[in-house]
Amino acid sequence: MPSTASAPRTVLVTGAAGYIGSHVARVLRQRGETVVTLDDLSTGSAARLDGPLDLRLDLAGPGALESLEAFLSGRRVTDVVHLAAMKQVGESVERPTHYMDRNVGGLVHLLTAMERCRVEQLVFSSSAAVYGPTSVPLVAEEHALAPANPYGQSKLIGEWMTENAARSWGLRAANLRYFNVAGTGWPDLADDGVANLIPIVLRAAQQGDPVRVFGTDLPTPDGSCVRDFVHVLDLAHAHVAALDHVRTVPGARAFNIGTGTGTSVRSVVEAAEVVTGRRIEVVNGAPRAGDPAIVVADPTRAHRELGWSAQHAVADAVESAWRASTARHCSRPDDGGARDGPLGHPRTERAVLVHRSEPPVRAR
């Protein structure tokens, strides 16, 4: 996917030391972009970066605006991919004001600095959490926006902010509504999230522990939550496509980034059993506050306008995560072979499928 820009460009990736941000930064560099990185390292790790962290900064903290202005100007940043945010649904219910302060406050500083420095292209990490409970098999971008938790509310406010900035001073923005991100491209960038489903399931397989499934009598085929799991490499390439889009198309536009296929939590556990060859015990738990029963993407708009589609299935995500986990456990700390190339290849879906959209359009 060639760059559409002829003039020298520099892309700032915020949250670059995180699971998703590190994949995005690496994929952008692989396609020839000049990338600078920002993170506060509160949850990310500098070990994920392909070089030194360019700016360690809490976007919502004191003095952040001034630091951002100096950095954007000094490094001649032309585009921003903004991923830095807090993202745990349960924690957002317990600490709603804190989530607004961090997620919305950080974006206020970023957009203000971008306006002052005339940085007019933004790819914003939004979320499928902006939809809340859904009653349709596939959720399109036109679906009612009614986030069921403060995390989703903070992302919807962020989308409103980009839309206002587009009308006010000409920001060009792509608001990417991620569905459930999973898998890994390289072992050194594997998902270590303690609250993310696939790492939880694979740790249980390694350690012989049970997996607690939150919600077992929901209105879904097997009673557990149904989600759309998108491989992190597909998501990273969606950012590349979105960046090309905002470099040529005015306004702010939302895009679902998902596969169009729903997979239940129990089916993910079953897929992990197949990949690992180990039985995983399931313990039934009560549904979590703010968790919708079903959320599955209709990715048609991203197919049509970005030329992007997911190339991997849930089984690919589970297998790549498992291979990364075993590789990291077996490799030496100084092993340099972890970055040789992406893990895994697209394969046929093995988990139980709940909903599927029309066949995906191949990415350009």
Side-chain angles (χ1 to χ4, degrees), residues 163-246:
E163 293 165 5
N164 290 336
R167 288 188 288 266
S168 173
W169 54 270
L171 178 72
R172 297 179 176 190
N175 298 319
L176 303 188
R177 294 175 180 169
Y178 305 172
F179 282 66
N180 289 65
V181 187
T184 189
W186 296 266
D188 58 314
L189 305 187
D191 183 8
D192 295 323
V194 296
N196 294 342
L197 177 62
I198 288 178
I200 289 172
V201 172
L202 295 181
R203 278 195 295 270
Q206 285 179 322
Q207 299 168 9
D209 296 330
V211 170
R212 183 173 297 277
V213 174
F214 296 98
T216 57
D217 58 355
L218 300 171
T220 64
D222 64 15
S224 65
C225 286
V226 170
R227 294 292 182 266
D228 187 334
F229 293 90
V230 58
H231 197 291
V232 69
L233 273 180
D234 287 330
L235 177 63
H237 285 287
H239 286 78
V240 175
L243 188 59
D244 286 340
H245 176 84
V246 298

Side-chain angles (χ1 to χ4, degrees), residues 174-350:
N175 298 319
L176 303 188
R177 294 175 180 169
Y178 305 172
F179 282 66
N180 289 65
V181 187
T184 189
W186 296 266
D188 58 314
L189 305 187
D191 183 8
D192 295 323
V194 296
N196 294 342
L197 177 62
I198 288 178
I200 289 172
V201 172
L202 295 181
R203 278 195 295 270
Q206 285 179 322
Q207 299 168 9
D209 296 330
V211 170
R212 183 173 297 277
V213 174
F214 296 98
T216 57
D217 58 355
L218 300 171
T220 64
D222 64 15
S224 65
C225 286
V226 170
R227 294 292 182 266
D228 187 334
F229 293 90
V230 58
H231 197 291
V232 69
L233 273 180
D234 287 330
L235 177 63
H237 285 287
H239 286 78
V240 175
L243 188 59
D244 286 340
H245 176 84
V246 298
R247 286 172 172 173
T248 59
V249 180
R253 185 83 158 149
F255 297 94
N256 285 340
I257 305 300
T259 66
T261 297
T263 306
S264 73
V265 171
R266 286 187 177 274
S267 294
V268 171
V269 175
E270 292 168 7
E273 289 182 322
V274 172
V275 167
T276 65
R278 306 179 186 186
R279 183 181 178 279
I280 302 171
E281 181 185 355
V282 171
V283 176
N284 296 335
R288 293 181 296 192
D291 251 0
I294 302 176
V295 185
V296 181
D298 178 350
T300 302
R301 181 183 291 181
H303 298 341
R304 183 178 63 245
E305 298 183 24
L306 302 183
W308 173 90
S309 65
Q311 304 297 303
H312 298 81
V314 168
D316 300 318
V318 174
E319 184 166 356
S320 67
W322 178 247
R323 291 176 59 195
S325 177
T326 54
R328 294 172 79 189
H329 278 86
C330 295
S331 64
R332 300 185 305 275
D334 61 347
D335 185 357
R339 300 183 182 180
D340 288 345
L343 288 170
H345 302 280
R347 54 186 289 160
T348 303
E349 178 67 83
R350 288 198 302 226

